[in-house]
Amino acid sequence: MANERRRDPSEVMRDEMVMKGKIASLLREGPRTIPEIADALRCPAREVTLWVMALRRYGVLEELPKAKADDYYRYKSARE
């Protein structure tokens, strides 16, 4: 991924509706962090961050409390 071309954020957001279903499916298996979602989808974490933040804003998913301040947030479906 180091040589991968960085896509413009508007281009990334066009994929949001497709990725929404994939992310929701992953979260049905259990809460995950952004790096875990990115790894499972084989997508750059920077792109997954945009999709997750949009889905969070629209109430599709929510973050769980962190055990430690320096942990990653874990996200789950808001409809559980």
Side-chain angles (χ1 to χ4, degrees):
M1 285 191 190
N3 295 331
E4 182 179 309
R5 176 184 73 87
R6 283 186 171 229
R7 298 191 309 158
D8 183 84
S10 62
E11 184 179 353
V12 174
M13 292 313 293
R14 279 194 296 267
D15 293 338
E16 179 185 348
M17 296 314 290
V18 172
M19 300 313 290
K20 175 183 174 183
K22 293 180 180 185
I23 292 170
S25 178
L26 283 173
L27 295 180
R28 275 190 222 99
E29 298 170 7
R32 294 183 186 231
T33 63
I34 287 177
E36 290 169 341
I37 295 168
D39 186 51
L41 296 176
R42 297 189 137 169
C43 293
R46 64 184 171 272
E47 293 184 10
V48 173
T49 299
L50 292 174
W51 298 322
V52 166
M53 292 300 102
L55 295 173
R56 182 183 171 276
R57 181 176 184 175
Y58 300 129
V60 175
L61 54 83
E62 57 190 33
E63 73 270 354
L64 297 170
K66 297 192 294 183
K68 297 185 299 186
D70 58 346
D71 283 346
Y72 286 105
Y73 279 105
R74 298 182 75 74
Y75 293 90
K76 71 176 191 93
S77 173
R79 295 181 174 95
E80 290 182 358

